[in-house]
Amino acid sequence: MAKKYTLNIAHLYGDLMNTYGDLGNILVLKYYGKKMGIDVQSNVVSLDEDFKAADYDIAVFGGGQDFEQTIVSKDIQTKKDEIKKFIDSNGCLLAICGGFQLLGKYYIDAKGDKIPGIGVMDHYTEQQHDNRFIGDILIKNEETGEQYHGFENHQGVTYTGSDERPLGDVEQGYGNNGKDKAEGAIYKNVYCTYFHGPILARNNIIAKHILIKALKRRYPNDDFSQFEKMKVEKAY
Amino acid sequence: MSLRSELATFAGKSSYWFLHTFMHGGSSLPGKITTAIDPEILKHLGKNYDVVVITGTNGKTLTTALTVQVLKQKYENVLTNPSGSNMEQGLVTTFLKAKNNKSKRPLAVLEVDEANVIKLTKYIKPIAFVCTNIFRDQMDRYGEIYTTYKKIIDGIKLAPKATIIANGDAPIFNSVDLPNPKIYYGFKNHDDENDIKAEPNTDGILCPKCQNILHYRYISYANLGNYFCPHCGFKRPVLNHELTKLGQLTPNSSQFIVDGQELSIGIGGVYNIYNALAAYSVGRFLGIEAKEAATAFQSNERVFGRQEQINVEGKDVTLILVKNPVGLNQVIDMISKEQEDFSFIGLLNANYADGIDTSWIWDGEFERLNQMPIKKFITGGERYRDITFRLKVAGVDEKLHEVEPDLEKVVKDIPNLPTKKVYILATYTAMLQLRKDFAEKGYIKGGME
């Protein structure tokens, strides 16, 4: 009988930061978890609730509307230390759009106000005037050679820090800032992106990487090579 | 009337007559011509009318149709724009095609796009604004719910004496203080002791006063219901028209009690009950008795909605437009009332008119399909991969699931489906393609109306 694995997902502000079907990422993690025989649990961690680093293997932090995001930017300061602890201990974190911005130093919102992030990563986000980056996007991850498909829709332009590498180089579309060809950011086991909402639904391979990384962290003595061989579906 | 308005009106009316006599159509071109000659033409065209504006994300078209049906109990001619041409030029065309009615002050019930409310109120002061709801809707075009609402507010501010007839169950309609008289409608069919929160993937659940998360005594769907804020005491306003009981609900009919009056409409879906409540409230506002409204709803007139029944070689096919997550979930809820076995077809396109971002399907509660008596699933459309994978993740049995990107082949497959009943959920351009094909095969008449 195979060993029963469990993984816990924190859906950070899932009730406020789910503007573009971000919930799809959790559904896809559960879908592949089921195929791997992993019991994947998730729960929403929202305003005034504690995020305890030790309780979770994966965190998903979606994008929100401007109004919700300003509320979250205040509350998340109380969770900053535990999020940092989670990242430093190689917890897997998927941050999208607003979630991506809030992990960095700051972002400028649509009104022009500077909203502080939690600065656990080095990127920062400025504002472009009267323009949004909208449309289908295709990027290529340098390290793995994998191509990722997505849809971007953002006004913020983000510049990554020196210890971050992009999720991929833009082959079609705009990416973080429309200038340096970088899309998203990877830092330790944190994946950041402007791909809208359900990035894992279109890019099942990333879901697989995240699950395996989380398993290896939680169960360091076990061999997961069989999962690494598992084929994922072409959902795009 | 100024010479310019007169000339503009003449040009508009002539072009409307020409288009309808020889070209069988044209709902925005006459308006375009008219406004090009006189940009302030609405001031002239609308000056003799009492105007009721119906706006919001979902339900504008049906609410408008039902409202007109109710008002016909008392008013002989109600001017309206039933085809959903709800932008400025469509509104101009609607006034242009009106027949002269010199006997008394005529009434116009107009569906107006959220961003076009201000374009109307700049020139015409309505007697009432009906606000149905504000939800996420194709955000690649419309922006956020608060920006959308602000557009409506900016329009209402130009008519501070007009009565606002709003969905009392929507917290957003209680978030901005306006001087206008207000009438609220909503659901009061529940226990006042409950204390629940909305599902995680629900928008607009922050208290507009203190920014904490709203709680509810009852949720009808999405963020609509009897909300309250445990932090600051903000809560749903007192309702003027209350739904006190939901009766039998099927995909094609809904029974309910409002203000003690039994009402029924020949269309399913809780969202359509809200539309009927809105129409009922406008009727009461304009002097229609509750009983008369009930009669109006029963007058079996076909209202143009976003769902229609089609007979395809003996199959009962229901074709339903889906375009945003709240609407989609309401449609899923509606078909969950089906008692007989049925087939489910989901068609996803991502052209401009569909919304080019397909991420919203991940907020659809497709998991609920597994509890329904569905014998066959087909997924298709240009973005068939996305919708197919969505159903897989939802846990749909792969043995029952067929993938058919080509819509013409989907139509060909319908007669071979294992059930008599078939529900098709389609995005806008997929629906147009499908209707075209249905029309060519003689199952329906052409066009979108």
Side-chain angles (χ1 to χ4, degrees):
Chain A
M1 182 65 202
K3 183 169 169 182
K4 189 73 188 159
Y5 297 110
T6 305
L7 291 175
N8 291 322
I9 303 176
H11 192 183
L12 293 172
Y13 304 97
D15 48 357
L16 298 171
M17 304 279 279
N18 182 65
T19 302
Y20 294 95
D22 302 85
L23 185 67
N25 294 311
I26 289 171
L27 297 177
V28 173
L29 288 169
K30 288 184 175 173
Y31 174 77
Y32 280 107
K34 202 171 169 188
K35 281 183 184 266
M36 294 173 173
I38 312 165
D39 182 21
V40 180
Q41 299 288 340
S42 73
N43 71 294
V44 172
V45 180
S46 190
L47 303 180
D48 299 328
E49 290 168 350
D50 282 342
F51 169 75
K52 289 205 183 76
D55 291 349
Y56 296 102
D57 306 288
I58 299 170
V60 174
F61 191 10
Q65 306 188 79
D66 280 337
F67 175 51
E68 276 86 358
Q69 227 165 275
T70 52
I71 305 303
V72 169
S73 73
K74 289 175 199 145
D75 185 85
I76 197 173
Q77 304 300 335
T78 66
K79 299 180 176 67
K80 175 185 167 174
D81 294 344
E82 285 293 306
I83 292 174
K84 189 171 187 318
K85 202 191 283 179
F86 181 73
I87 294 173
D88 286 344
S89 66
N90 293 317
C92 289
L93 200 163
L94 175 66
I96 294 156
C97 199
F100 175 18
Q101 295 172 351
L102 281 168
L103 292 182
K105 289 175 177 162
Y106 65 85
Y107 74 91
I108 310 290
D109 73 6
K111 283 186 229 146
D113 294 331
K114 187 171 177 174
I115 312 288
I118 52 173
V120 294
M121 288 171 72
D122 268 344
H123 56 266
Y124 59 94
T125 303
E126 302 285 351
Q127 176 73 220
Q128 50 181 336
H129 296 287
D130 298 324
N131 189 40
R132 286 182 83 85
F133 290 148
I134 302 178
D136 287 315
I137 172 165
L138 177 66
I139 63 172
K140 188 174 182 182
N141 183 294
E142 272 299 292
E143 205 177 329
T144 61
E146 291 157 1
Q147 273 190 327
Y148 306 136
H149 291 265
F151 186 88
E152 58 181 333
N153 183 353
H154 56 112
Q155 191 150 20
V157 287
T158 296
Y159 298 93
T160 50
S162 56
D163 54 356
E164 300 173 17
R165 58 187 199 280
L167 176 65
D169 293 336
V170 176
E171 298 198 326
Q172 183 201 316
Y174 303 97
N176 289 340
N177 49 48
K179 290 179 197 139
D180 63 15
K181 290 273 166 201
E183 200 301 310
I186 299 178
Y187 168 71
K188 291 181 181 278
N189 283 343
V190 184
Y191 294 85
C192 298
T193 182
Y194 271 117
F195 278 27
H196 251 177
I199 176 175
L200 302 185
R202 295 252 194 101
N203 304 282
N204 291 190
I205 188 75
I206 306 178
K208 180 177 140 178
H209 293 327
I210 288 175
L211 286 168
I212 291 172
K213 280 189 173 163
L215 283 169
K216 284 181 174 170
R217 173 174 174 263
R218 175 89 178 252
Y219 305 97
N221 302 320
D222 289 20
D223 172 26
F224 296 106
S225 54
Q226 67 185 89
F227 293 157
E228 275 163 0
K229 281 183 220 138
M230 187 184 82
K231 280 214 162 61
V232 295
E233 289 171 59
K234 185 171 161 53
Y236 183 84
Chain B
M1 178 165 38
S2 73
L3 188 61
R4 169 179 277 208
S5 310
E6 216 162 320
L7 181 69
T9 309
F10 175 74
K13 284 196 173 185
S14 317
S15 64
Y16 179 79
W17 172 81
F18 178 81
L19 285 167
H20 277 255
T21 311
F22 300 107
M23 315 295 282
H24 307 290
S27 61
S28 83
L29 186 63
K32 211 172 191 169
I33 293 168
T34 316
T35 31
I37 301 171
D38 181 0
E40 302 195 343
I41 190 65
L42 275 175
K43 193 188 274 179
H44 161 66
L45 291 176
K47 69 171 185 270
N48 293 320
Y49 282 85
D50 282 339
V51 174
V52 174
V53 166
I54 294 176
T55 193
T57 307
N58 290 339
K60 291 188 285 288
T61 307
L62 192 85
T63 302
T64 303
L66 286 173
T67 301
V68 170
Q69 206 162 310
V70 167
L71 293 177
K72 273 186 184 163
Q73 297 291 310
K74 187 174 152 190
Y75 295 83
E76 264 176 44
N77 283 309
V78 181
L79 182 67
T80 188
N81 51 343
S83 58
S85 25
N86 59 18
M87 310 270 191
E88 188 181 12
Q89 285 152 5
L91 300 173
V92 170
T93 306
T94 303
F95 280 109
L96 283 174
K97 70 184 183 190
K99 295 187 183 77
N100 282 336
N101 184 347
K102 296 221 167 98
S103 57
K104 58 181 172 188
R105 194 169 165 80
L107 186 65
V109 176
L110 302 174
E111 162 184 349
V112 183
D113 167 79
E114 297 90 302
N116 281 264
V117 173
I118 194 163
K119 292 181 184 167
L120 181 88
T121 55
K122 239 165 111 180
Y123 305 116
I124 298 174
K125 305 303 162 213
I127 56 165
F129 292 97
V130 179
C131 300
T132 61
N133 50 57
I134 310 278
F135 294 125
R136 271 189 282 170
D137 183 34
Q138 301 174 30
M139 282 191 295
D140 48 299
R141 282 194 288 161
Y142 288 101
E144 310 188 342
I145 59 169
Y146 307 103
T147 357
T148 308
Y149 184 49
K150 187 170 177 302
K151 283 179 182 153
I152 295 176
I153 292 285
D154 289 345
I156 291 180
K157 279 184 176 162
L158 298 180
K161 287 187 185 145
T163 299
I164 297 174
I165 300 173
N167 187 335
D169 289 354
I172 198 163
F173 294 141
N174 192 12
S175 66
V176 177
D177 290 326
L178 292 164
N180 305 56
K182 291 170 202 80
I183 292 171
Y184 289 108
Y185 57 87
F187 281 29
K188 210 178 178 189
N189 55 332
H190 50 270
D191 181 357
D192 271 350
E193 301 302 309
N194 297 336
D195 185 346
I196 52 173
K197 285 204 244 176
E199 291 292 316
N201 57 348
T202 309
D203 274 316
I205 49 146
L206 277 177
C207 170
K209 301 291 173 206
C210 75
Q211 285 84 51
N212 280 289
I213 289 169
L214 289 172
H215 289 222
Y216 288 82
R217 301 297 181 201
Y218 172 84
I219 294 173
S220 54
Y221 71 92
N223 70 341
L224 302 183
N226 189 357
Y227 58 84
F228 67 100
C229 175
H231 282 259
C232 74
F234 174 77
K235 61 180 184 191
R236 180 171 78 171
V238 172
L239 301 176
N240 302 82
H241 299 295
E242 296 175 343
L243 178 146
T244 49
K245 190 167 186 276
L246 284 174
Q248 200 195 3
L249 306 176
T250 79
N252 312 309
S253 68
S254 312
Q255 295 178 345
F256 46 95
I257 295 175
V258 178
D259 300 347
Q261 174 68 45
E262 280 184 41
L263 298 171
S264 67
I265 51 173
I267 189 165
V270 172
Y271 59 111
N272 285 320
I273 296 178
Y274 274 107
N275 296 335
L277 258 173
Y280 169 89
S281 304
V282 179
R284 295 297 305 273
F285 171 67
L286 289 171
I288 307 284
E289 299 297 324
K291 233 185 197 131
E292 293 175 295
T295 312
F297 287 149
Q298 270 160 4
S299 75
N300 232 348
E301 204 171 313
R302 183 181 171 270
V303 282
F304 170 71
R306 297 303 178 89
Q307 50 176 292
E308 67 181 313
Q309 247 117 329
I310 303 162
N311 184 315
V312 179
E313 310 286 332
K315 303 285 186 196
D316 290 339
V317 176
T318 307
L319 178 57
I320 311 166
L321 177 78
V322 289
K323 56 173 185 160
N324 56 37
V326 171
L328 171 63
N329 282 338
Q330 279 300 293
V331 169
I332 291 173
D333 184 68
M334 182 178 80
I335 65 172
S336 75
K337 306 289 189 291
E338 179 59 67
Q339 302 290 314
E340 288 177 39
D341 289 352
F342 65 94
S343 302
F344 176 95
I345 301 178
L347 307 174
L348 183 68
N349 279 359
N351 297 306
Y352 183 73
D354 304 291
I356 55 177
D357 183 1
T358 61
S359 62
W360 57 280
I361 62 172
W362 290 90
D363 281 323
E365 295 161 346
F366 289 102
E367 283 72 9
R368 291 185 64 188
L369 298 178
N370 297 315
Q371 273 87 54
M372 300 180 203
I374 303 176
K375 299 297 163 207
K376 175 99 184 195
F377 296 84
I378 299 178
T379 44
E382 290 153 17
R383 296 300 284 270
Y384 69 96
R385 283 185 198 275
D386 297 68
I387 187 65
T388 299
F389 186 59
R390 179 68 192 92
L391 289 199
K392 265 191 190 179
V393 170
V396 164
D397 185 347
E398 297 196 20
K399 289 194 289 294
L400 304 178
H401 188 172
E402 184 186 318
V403 183
E404 181 47 76
D406 184 346
L407 298 190
E408 280 187 37
K409 287 190 185 149
V410 171
V411 171
K412 271 192 199 144
D413 280 350
I414 292 174
N416 305 322
L417 289 169
T419 60
K420 186 168 166 57
K421 290 209 166 164
V422 181
Y423 286 93
I424 305 179
L425 277 55
T427 59
Y428 189 76
T429 67
M431 175 140 177
L432 287 185
Q433 287 168 26
L434 210 61
R435 289 192 100 261
K436 186 166 168 282
D437 206 38
F438 280 146
E440 278 168 14
K441 292 190 167 60
Y443 302 132
I444 51 169
K445 288 183 188 143
M448 188 60 198
E449 287 180 40

